[in-house]
Amino acid sequence: MSRRLQAPRGTFDVLPAQSAARAAVESRARELLEAAGYERIETPAFEATELFARGVGESTDIVQKEMYSFDDGGGRSLTLRPEGTAPVCRAYAEHGMHKLPQPVKLWYLSSFFRHERAQAGRYRQFWQVGAEALGSDDPALDAESIVLLALLLDALGARDLRLRLSSLGAAATRNQYRAELQAHLRAHSDALADEVRARIELNPLRAFDSDHSGTRQVMATAPRLVDRLDAADAEHFAEVCSLLDEAAVSYELDSTLVRGLDYYTRTVFEFSSDSLGAQSGVGGGGRYDGLVERLGGPATAGVGWAAGVERILLAAGEEHPAAPPVELYVAIDEDGRRGDAFATVTAARRAGLTAQMELAGRSLKGQLKHADRLGARFVAILGARDTVLRDMQSTEQETVPADAVVARALRGLRGPW
Ligand code: AMP
């Protein structure tokens, strides 16, 4: 026998038992987001590598070590999309969406690819539902975006959620702050973890993420970006907070909140669930006012989020409904009637019933057992002499003309009307 092949590390098959739960995420997201004016967008599964290098940022973990990049054979470097915001901003600029009434609100549900160390809740191909609103810097849009994610997670039953919120200010404030933070880290460099010390120049903000005890002590006295916001950014952030208060969405202010992507300005937020293990992030996002411009489009404000479908399901942790029960099962007691069985199951489907027929050569006893397993309400038994319709609920059965099976089952299921 040849070696059995397996799905690549960090990937998974979505088996039938999981697909109902995933479909529920998609339909709840659609209902909620479309009711708030978001329209669905699909972008390609791969893009020019430069989109992510410029959009997500050269210094980020994603661009430095997690991208699946390849040469397309024509000397161009392409990358399987690791996130959705940069592609949506590219599409906004490419299709002149700045000429539409603003803000333009877009949502997506797609798979993304990151070459991360695979572990529970962290995959190399994973799904995100995301929402992006472009063309307005109104703090009410930040608040609306956050509230929509809160409502979605709530509707899907995600448990033990915490929302952390902060503001990164504008790019100039961040640069000044970055220099201040670097000076603080250099002054205490002996106490830092090696990897933090190595990244002082490249990405000093990530020092807030470290679990290393020496680093944590240094960070406890580090300057905080929220204390350095200019008046306009501070006012914007205060308005976002006050609108969340109005909407009765609770949050914690967390000035150490650092998102792994470079494009954020002003508001950043993250939902995590205490019922998940180490990979506790369920979804997050923020404002990215310069991003469209950075990708060659017009100066455009934007705010949005992405939430991991697998993490949402883990945080909801429920058994989800299986396939809908079969309304009519067509059993065959006489081989000569296979054609009738096929005609009956087809007529049932045309009439809108969930219907199946025997396809595995079982004995009649085996067929009735199988129909029971499928939760069948009615079973039509096509025998040598006649056709019997059995109501599995009441166990009553009656002989019916073969062409009346569907009408009888429909009457039994939906009543005489
Ligand atoms: P990010 O785009 O990094 O802000 O991630 C947003 C959300 O996507 C996270 O909160 C997770 O729920 C999910 N996510 C990110 N990376 C992965 C991954 N490798 N595997 C599964 N889910 C992920």
Short mmCIF file of all heavy atoms in Angstrom, two decimals, residues 62 82-83 114 116 121-124 126-128 259 261 264 270-271 281-284 306-311, ligand 1:
data_model
loop_
_atom_site.label_atom_id
_atom_site.label_comp_id
_atom_site.label_asym_id
_atom_site.label_seq_id
_atom_site.Cartn_x
_atom_site.Cartn_y
_atom_site.Cartn_z
N ILE A 62 4.16 39.40 10.46
CA ILE A 62 3.50 38.83 9.27
C ILE A 62 4.42 38.94 8.06
O ILE A 62 4.68 37.96 7.36
CB ILE A 62 2.15 39.54 8.98
CG1 ILE A 62 1.14 39.20 10.07
CG2 ILE A 62 1.61 39.17 7.61
CD1 ILE A 62 -0.24 39.82 9.88
N PRO A 82 -2.37 37.20 3.83
CA PRO A 82 -2.30 36.90 5.26
C PRO A 82 -3.36 37.67 6.06
O PRO A 82 -3.57 37.38 7.24
CB PRO A 82 -0.90 37.38 5.66
CG PRO A 82 -0.61 38.50 4.70
CD PRO A 82 -1.35 38.19 3.42
N GLU A 83 -4.00 38.65 5.44
CA GLU A 83 -5.02 39.45 6.14
C GLU A 83 -5.86 40.15 5.09
O GLU A 83 -5.52 40.13 3.90
CB GLU A 83 -4.37 40.44 7.12
CG GLU A 83 -3.44 41.46 6.50
CD GLU A 83 -4.15 42.75 6.17
OE1 GLU A 83 -4.76 43.33 7.07
OE2 GLU A 83 -4.11 43.17 4.99
N ARG A 114 -1.06 32.16 6.99
CA ARG A 114 0.13 32.66 7.69
C ARG A 114 0.98 31.48 8.10
O ARG A 114 0.46 30.51 8.67
CB ARG A 114 -0.25 33.46 8.95
CG ARG A 114 -0.99 34.73 8.63
CD ARG A 114 -1.28 35.55 9.89
NE ARG A 114 -2.27 36.56 9.59
CZ ARG A 114 -2.87 37.32 10.50
NH1 ARG A 114 -2.57 37.19 11.78
NH2 ARG A 114 -3.75 38.23 10.13
N GLU A 116 2.63 30.35 10.54
CA GLU A 116 2.88 30.48 11.99
C GLU A 116 3.13 29.10 12.56
O GLU A 116 2.81 28.10 11.93
CB GLU A 116 1.65 31.07 12.68
CG GLU A 116 1.32 32.47 12.21
CD GLU A 116 0.35 33.16 13.16
OE1 GLU A 116 0.81 33.61 14.22
OE2 GLU A 116 -0.84 33.23 12.84
N GLY A 121 -5.91 26.34 18.02
CA GLY A 121 -6.46 27.66 17.73
C GLY A 121 -5.59 28.51 16.82
O GLY A 121 -5.95 29.65 16.52
N ARG A 122 -4.44 27.97 16.41
CA ARG A 122 -3.60 28.76 15.48
C ARG A 122 -3.25 27.89 14.28
O ARG A 122 -2.61 26.85 14.44
CB ARG A 122 -2.35 29.28 16.16
CG ARG A 122 -1.63 30.29 15.27
CD ARG A 122 -0.70 31.16 16.06
NE ARG A 122 0.48 30.41 16.43
CZ ARG A 122 1.44 30.87 17.22
NH1 ARG A 122 1.33 32.05 17.75
NH2 ARG A 122 2.48 30.14 17.47
N TYR A 123 -3.68 28.33 13.14
CA TYR A 123 -3.55 27.52 11.93
C TYR A 123 -2.79 28.28 10.86
O TYR A 123 -2.57 29.48 10.97
CB TYR A 123 -4.95 27.16 11.40
CG TYR A 123 -5.83 26.55 12.46
CD1 TYR A 123 -6.77 27.31 13.13
CD2 TYR A 123 -5.65 25.22 12.84
CE1 TYR A 123 -7.55 26.76 14.14
CE2 TYR A 123 -6.42 24.65 13.83
CZ TYR A 123 -7.37 25.43 14.48
OH TYR A 123 -8.14 24.89 15.48
N ARG A 124 -2.42 27.56 9.83
CA ARG A 124 -1.72 28.20 8.71
C ARG A 124 -2.68 28.62 7.62
O ARG A 124 -2.38 29.51 6.83
CB ARG A 124 -0.63 27.26 8.20
CG ARG A 124 0.46 27.13 9.25
CD ARG A 124 1.56 26.19 8.86
NE ARG A 124 2.61 26.26 9.87
CZ ARG A 124 3.69 25.50 9.85
NH1 ARG A 124 3.86 24.60 8.89
NH2 ARG A 124 4.59 25.62 10.80
N PHE A 126 -6.66 29.80 7.89
CA PHE A 126 -7.75 30.00 8.83
C PHE A 126 -8.75 30.94 8.18
O PHE A 126 -8.46 31.56 7.16
CB PHE A 126 -7.23 30.58 10.16
CG PHE A 126 -6.43 31.85 9.99
CD1 PHE A 126 -7.04 33.08 10.15
CD2 PHE A 126 -5.10 31.81 9.65
CE1 PHE A 126 -6.32 34.26 9.97
CE2 PHE A 126 -4.37 32.98 9.45
CZ PHE A 126 -4.98 34.20 9.62
N TRP A 127 -9.92 31.05 8.77
CA TRP A 127 -10.97 31.89 8.18
C TRP A 127 -11.21 33.11 9.07
O TRP A 127 -11.18 33.00 10.31
CB TRP A 127 -12.27 31.09 8.04
CG TRP A 127 -12.35 30.35 6.73
CD1 TRP A 127 -13.13 30.69 5.65
CD2 TRP A 127 -11.64 29.16 6.33
NE1 TRP A 127 -12.94 29.79 4.63
CE2 TRP A 127 -12.03 28.86 5.01
CE3 TRP A 127 -10.68 28.35 6.96
CZ2 TRP A 127 -11.53 27.77 4.31
CZ3 TRP A 127 -10.18 27.27 6.26
CH2 TRP A 127 -10.60 26.98 4.95
N GLN A 128 -11.44 34.22 8.43
CA GLN A 128 -11.80 35.43 9.17
C GLN A 128 -13.06 36.02 8.57
O GLN A 128 -13.23 36.04 7.36
CB GLN A 128 -10.71 36.50 9.04
CG GLN A 128 -9.48 36.27 9.89
CD GLN A 128 -8.49 37.42 9.79
OE1 GLN A 128 -8.54 38.22 8.86
NE2 GLN A 128 -7.59 37.49 10.75
N ARG A 259 -1.27 45.95 18.34
CA ARG A 259 -1.74 45.02 17.34
C ARG A 259 -0.57 44.70 16.42
O ARG A 259 0.31 45.50 16.23
CB ARG A 259 -2.92 45.63 16.57
CG ARG A 259 -3.98 46.20 17.50
CD ARG A 259 -5.23 45.38 17.58
NE ARG A 259 -5.58 44.84 16.30
CZ ARG A 259 -5.83 43.54 16.09
NH1 ARG A 259 -5.77 42.69 17.07
NH2 ARG A 259 -6.15 43.12 14.89
N LEU A 261 -0.01 44.68 13.42
CA LEU A 261 0.05 45.25 12.08
C LEU A 261 0.38 46.72 12.19
O LEU A 261 -0.02 47.38 13.13
CB LEU A 261 -1.30 45.04 11.36
CG LEU A 261 -1.76 43.57 11.32
CD1 LEU A 261 -2.72 43.25 12.44
CD2 LEU A 261 -2.41 43.24 9.99
N TYR A 264 -2.22 50.77 11.85
CA TYR A 264 -3.21 51.39 12.71
C TYR A 264 -2.84 52.81 13.15
O TYR A 264 -1.68 53.11 13.41
CB TYR A 264 -3.47 50.53 13.95
CG TYR A 264 -4.22 49.26 13.59
CD1 TYR A 264 -3.63 48.02 13.70
CD2 TYR A 264 -5.52 49.33 13.11
CE1 TYR A 264 -4.31 46.86 13.34
CE2 TYR A 264 -6.21 48.20 12.74
CZ TYR A 264 -5.61 46.96 12.87
OH TYR A 264 -6.28 45.84 12.51
N GLU A 270 -9.39 44.98 20.77
CA GLU A 270 -9.28 43.54 20.62
C GLU A 270 -10.25 42.85 21.58
O GLU A 270 -10.34 43.21 22.74
CB GLU A 270 -7.85 43.09 20.94
CG GLU A 270 -7.58 41.67 20.53
CD GLU A 270 -6.08 41.41 20.38
OE1 GLU A 270 -5.51 41.83 19.35
OE2 GLU A 270 -5.50 40.84 21.31
N PHE A 271 -10.98 41.88 21.04
CA PHE A 271 -11.82 41.02 21.88
C PHE A 271 -11.04 39.74 22.14
O PHE A 271 -10.52 39.12 21.20
CB PHE A 271 -13.11 40.63 21.15
CG PHE A 271 -14.12 41.73 21.08
CD1 PHE A 271 -14.07 42.67 20.06
CD2 PHE A 271 -15.14 41.83 22.02
CE1 PHE A 271 -15.02 43.69 19.96
CE2 PHE A 271 -16.09 42.84 21.94
CZ PHE A 271 -16.03 43.77 20.91
N GLY A 281 -7.10 35.56 21.41
CA GLY A 281 -7.67 36.63 20.59
C GLY A 281 -8.80 36.11 19.72
O GLY A 281 -8.63 35.14 18.99
N VAL A 282 -9.97 36.74 19.82
CA VAL A 282 -11.11 36.31 19.01
C VAL A 282 -11.25 37.22 17.78
O VAL A 282 -11.55 36.76 16.68
CB VAL A 282 -12.40 36.32 19.84
CG1 VAL A 282 -13.60 35.97 18.97
CG2 VAL A 282 -12.29 35.34 20.99
N GLY A 283 -11.02 38.49 17.99
CA GLY A 283 -11.10 39.41 16.86
C GLY A 283 -10.63 40.79 17.28
O GLY A 283 -10.67 41.12 18.47
N GLY A 284 -10.18 41.55 16.32
CA GLY A 284 -9.72 42.88 16.68
C GLY A 284 -9.56 43.74 15.45
O GLY A 284 -9.70 43.27 14.32
N ALA A 306 -11.28 42.27 12.03
CA ALA A 306 -11.41 40.89 11.54
C ALA A 306 -11.48 39.97 12.75
O ALA A 306 -10.82 40.21 13.77
CB ALA A 306 -10.21 40.52 10.68
N ALA A 307 -12.32 38.94 12.64
CA ALA A 307 -12.44 37.98 13.74
C ALA A 307 -12.27 36.58 13.18
O ALA A 307 -12.72 36.28 12.08
CB ALA A 307 -13.81 38.12 14.42
N GLY A 308 -11.57 35.73 13.93
CA GLY A 308 -11.28 34.38 13.46
C GLY A 308 -12.48 33.47 13.63
O GLY A 308 -13.02 33.34 14.74
N VAL A 309 -12.90 32.83 12.54
CA VAL A 309 -14.08 31.96 12.60
C VAL A 309 -13.82 30.78 13.54
O VAL A 309 -14.67 30.43 14.37
CB VAL A 309 -14.45 31.46 11.18
CG1 VAL A 309 -15.52 30.39 11.22
CG2 VAL A 309 -14.90 32.64 10.32
N GLU A 310 -12.63 30.19 13.46
CA GLU A 310 -12.34 29.02 14.33
C GLU A 310 -12.33 29.44 15.80
O GLU A 310 -12.82 28.72 16.67
CB GLU A 310 -10.99 28.39 13.96
CG GLU A 310 -10.97 27.75 12.58
CD GLU A 310 -10.89 28.76 11.44
OE1 GLU A 310 -10.27 29.82 11.64
OE2 GLU A 310 -11.45 28.51 10.36
N ARG A 311 -11.77 30.61 16.08
CA ARG A 311 -11.73 31.09 17.48
C ARG A 311 -13.14 31.40 17.99
O ARG A 311 -13.45 31.13 19.15
CB ARG A 311 -10.89 32.36 17.58
CG ARG A 311 -9.47 32.20 17.10
CD ARG A 311 -8.51 31.82 18.19
NE ARG A 311 -7.20 31.65 17.61
CZ ARG A 311 -6.28 32.61 17.53
NH1 ARG A 311 -6.51 33.80 18.05
NH2 ARG A 311 -5.12 32.38 16.96
P1 AMP B 1 -5.26 39.71 13.09
O1 AMP B 1 -5.55 39.81 11.62
O2 AMP B 1 -3.89 39.20 13.39
O3 AMP B 1 -5.62 40.95 13.83
O4 AMP B 1 -6.21 38.58 13.65
C1 AMP B 1 -7.60 38.76 13.82
C2 AMP B 1 -8.19 37.48 14.35
O5 AMP B 1 -7.99 36.42 13.40
C3 AMP B 1 -7.56 36.96 15.62
O6 AMP B 1 -8.15 37.55 16.74
C4 AMP B 1 -7.86 35.48 15.54
O7 AMP B 1 -9.19 35.24 15.95
C5 AMP B 1 -7.78 35.21 14.06
N1 AMP B 1 -6.45 34.65 13.68
C6 AMP B 1 -5.32 35.33 13.39
N2 AMP B 1 -4.32 34.48 13.09
C7 AMP B 1 -4.83 33.24 13.17
C8 AMP B 1 -4.30 31.92 12.97
N3 AMP B 1 -3.04 31.71 12.59
N4 AMP B 1 -5.14 30.85 13.16
C9 AMP B 1 -6.43 31.05 13.53
N5 AMP B 1 -6.97 32.25 13.74
C10 AMP B 1 -6.19 33.34 13.56
#
